[in-house]
């Protein structure tokens, strides 16, 4: 479904990613775990075609990735800036006009679920509600790939809870490949099938969450502490 | 075409305040021009203001595009879109052009109204030749000018943001853009002075003598538009059209391949 083949991304002398290769399968939820600056966001942006690798090839469903892979990939950014003069419903309408797979009924259902007022201006929304709206926009699309970059960053526990519930209710567990980049894994631990540890632009470990629990008796947080200890 | 309508709607909504401020400034300029004209009893002041506002519209589209693109540049998340870079840019050009036409029309009506009616009822404005054709040609000239400059803005903006993610170039992006502008201008001047280019320009010449325009302002007079012996070269127009297509394509290439989120 998603193939990374010897991907490197350089920013001058600094390496964002260094010779990374992996394959992510359909119908699984992956956690991309790592400290700030480890390369998690770069990885997601490369899959979304929003950052161009310096070396290597990325394929999504067998197609080489460029910016227009947005047709197949829903991407929730870590960034928290929207079009200020827009209302919530303007954002919904805009997405509906741009993405053929955007489902308005589903978006409205999600708005109710997330308790968002469609007539509210984006600049009047709290950070938590902007986080919820970003998720609405991503989950209202019927894509084969869903990328979530730090969906919980800076949000309070109640918002986090509603986001996890939203994911549980609206992810297509059979057909979607979901990649969640985060360093806050408390909330999403029960969702994940596999975890990839990224550090300094390299994948340093990869585990199946069930195996991790059954054979090593570790939770993801315990595994993370072990993997990233200095 | 839903996607294009959606992009246009987004553009117009994002730049609504900018447009309103532009119109307000335009009206303010006209009112100030009229006020000064009445106060000093000097009709030339208003003529200068009116012509400046009209000619100033040549910079309307570049200014609009810079404003709109700088909103996008805050995140560059507008690039998470399945449509081509050409469509994204064309939507901005189209939206900007719609606002340009509205603003230009308002400016024109106000200017003509002011020149013909507002100053002591005196007839200050007179067009020689064919007025409708004259005005159309002047408008067309300014419109082509603003479109030409607008496409160059797309190019330099794309170039500037292409360099953003290259650390050793990040801090010298402005000198690179200015250097590129100087280089391209020098090349343009060099080509323009080549004998072969001069020969090419002479293909398909249309004489515009009949379309000259003259503003008679009180006892003074000022010419605008095409002066005597002015010529329009079809070949030159074709060359500039090709140039615009090349610059637009280069901008799209940079946007697709080099600009990152």
């Amino acid at each position: 479904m998603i193939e990374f083949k010897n991907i490197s991304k350089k920013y001058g002398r600094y390496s964002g990613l260094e010779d990374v290769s992996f394959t992510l399968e359909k119908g699984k939820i992956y956690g991309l775990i790592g400290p700030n600056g480890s390369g998690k966001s770069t990885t997601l942006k490369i899959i979304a075609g929003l950052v161009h690798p310096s070396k290597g090839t990325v394929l999504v469903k067998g197609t080489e990735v460029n910016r227009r892979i947005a047709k197949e990939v829903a991407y929730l950014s870590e960034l928290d800036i929207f079009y200020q003069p827009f209302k919530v419903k303007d954002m919904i309408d805009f997405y509906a006009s741009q993405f053929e797979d955007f489902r308005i009924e589903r978006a409205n259902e999600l708005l109710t679920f997330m308790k968002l007022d469609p007539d509210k201006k984006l600049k009047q929304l709290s950070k938590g509600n902007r986080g919820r709206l970003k998720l609405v926009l991503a989950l209202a699309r019927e894509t084969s790939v869903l990328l979530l970059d730090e969906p919980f960053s800076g949000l309070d526990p109640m918002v986090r809870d509603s986001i996890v519930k939203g994911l549980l209710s609206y992810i297509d567990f059979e057909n979607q490949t979901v990649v969640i980049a985060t360093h806050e894994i408390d909330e999403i631990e029960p969702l994940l099938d596999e975890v990839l540890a990224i550090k300094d632009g390299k994948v340093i470990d990869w585990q199946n969450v069930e195996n991790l629990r059954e054979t090593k008796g570790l939770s993801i947080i315990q595994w993370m502490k072990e993997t990233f200890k200095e | 075409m839903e996607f294009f309508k959606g992009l246009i709607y987004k553009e117009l909504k994002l730049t609504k305040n900018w447009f309103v401020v532009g119109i307000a400034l335009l009206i303010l300029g006209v009112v100030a021009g009229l006020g000064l004209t009445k106060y000093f009893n000097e009709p030339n002041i208003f003529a200068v203001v009116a012509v400046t506002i009209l000619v100033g519209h040549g910079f309307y589209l570049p200014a609009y595009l810079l404003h709109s693109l700088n909103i996008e540049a805050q995140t560059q998340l507008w690039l998470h879109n399945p449509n081509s870079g050409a469509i994204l840019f064309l939507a901005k050009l189209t939206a900007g052009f719609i606002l340009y036409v509205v603003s230009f029309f308002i400016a024109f009506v106000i200017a003509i109204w002011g020149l013909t009616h507002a100053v002591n009822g005196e007839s200050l404005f007179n067009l020689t030749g064919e007025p409708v054709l004259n005005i159309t040609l002047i408008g067309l000239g300014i419109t082509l000018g603003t479109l030409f400059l607008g496409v160059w803005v797309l190019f330099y903006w794309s170039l500037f943001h292409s360099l953003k993610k290259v650390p050793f170039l990040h801090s010298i992006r402005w000198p690179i853009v200015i250097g590129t502008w100087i280089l391209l201008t020098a090349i343009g001047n060099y080509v323009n002075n080549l004998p072969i280019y001069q020969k090419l320009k002479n293909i398909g010449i249309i004489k515009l003598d009949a379309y000259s325009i003259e503003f008679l302002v009180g006892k003074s007079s000022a010419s605008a538009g095409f002066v005597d012996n002015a010529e329009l070269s079809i070949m030159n127009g074709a060359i500039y059209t090709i140039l615009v297509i090349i610059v637009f394509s280069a901008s799209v290439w940079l946007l697709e391949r080099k600009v990152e989120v």
Side-chain angles (χ1 to χ4, degrees), chain A residues 9 52 67 83 90 98, chain B residues 3 13 72 83 256 260:
Chain A
K9 177 63 184 174
H52 315 292
R67 192 184 58 72
Y83 295 134
D90 294 327
Q98 300 305 298
Chain B
F3 61 92
K13 195 147 181 86
E72 307 287 14
N83 295 302
E256 297 283 20
E260 296 185 338

Side-chain angles (χ1 to χ4, degrees), chain B residues 46-213:
Chain B
F46 188 73
V48 169
V49 170
V51 171
T52 305
I53 288 172
L54 287 181
V55 175
H57 271 76
F59 297 99
Y60 192 95
L61 200 52
Y64 170 88
L65 288 169
L66 273 178
H67 173 69
S68 170
L69 288 166
N70 284 340
I71 292 173
E72 307 287 14
Q74 289 174 26
T75 61
Q76 298 291 19
L77 284 173
W78 70 307
L79 298 175
H80 179 55
N81 190 300
N83 295 302
S84 68
I87 295 286
L88 297 181
F89 274 155
L90 277 174
K92 288 196 178 292
L93 278 169
T94 307
F97 190 71
I98 291 168
L99 299 185
Y100 161 82
V101 169
V102 175
S103 180
F104 190 77
F105 179 75
I106 293 172
F108 220 90
V109 169
I110 289 173
I112 288 180
W113 175 82
L115 285 164
T116 52
H117 296 99
V119 187
N120 300 327
E122 195 180 333
S123 177
L124 298 163
F125 184 64
N126 187 26
L127 292 171
T128 62
E130 179 60 50
V132 176
L133 190 61
N134 271 320
I135 291 167
T136 307
L137 284 173
I138 291 172
L140 197 65
I142 295 171
T143 303
L144 291 176
T146 202
L147 281 168
F148 183 73
L149 292 176
V151 173
W152 277 106
V153 163
L154 295 180
F155 173 75
Y156 285 115
W157 182 89
S158 303
L159 178 65
F160 184 78
H161 286 280
S162 300
L163 303 168
K164 199 174 177 181
K165 293 287 164 100
V166 188
F168 68 98
L169 296 176
H170 186 273
S171 53
I172 53 165
R173 283 183 295 165
W174 276 114
I176 290 174
V177 169
I178 292 166
T180 307
W181 176 73
I182 291 169
L183 181 70
L184 292 176
T185 306
I187 293 171
N189 288 339
Y190 174 75
V191 171
N192 203 28
N193 290 324
L194 287 175
I196 188 164
Y197 186 75
Q198 294 299 326
K199 277 186 190 169
L200 276 174
K201 268 169 55 173
N202 287 331
I203 300 171
I205 292 284
I206 300 171
K207 299 273 183 194
L208 292 172
D209 299 7
Y211 309 135
S212 67
I213 185 171

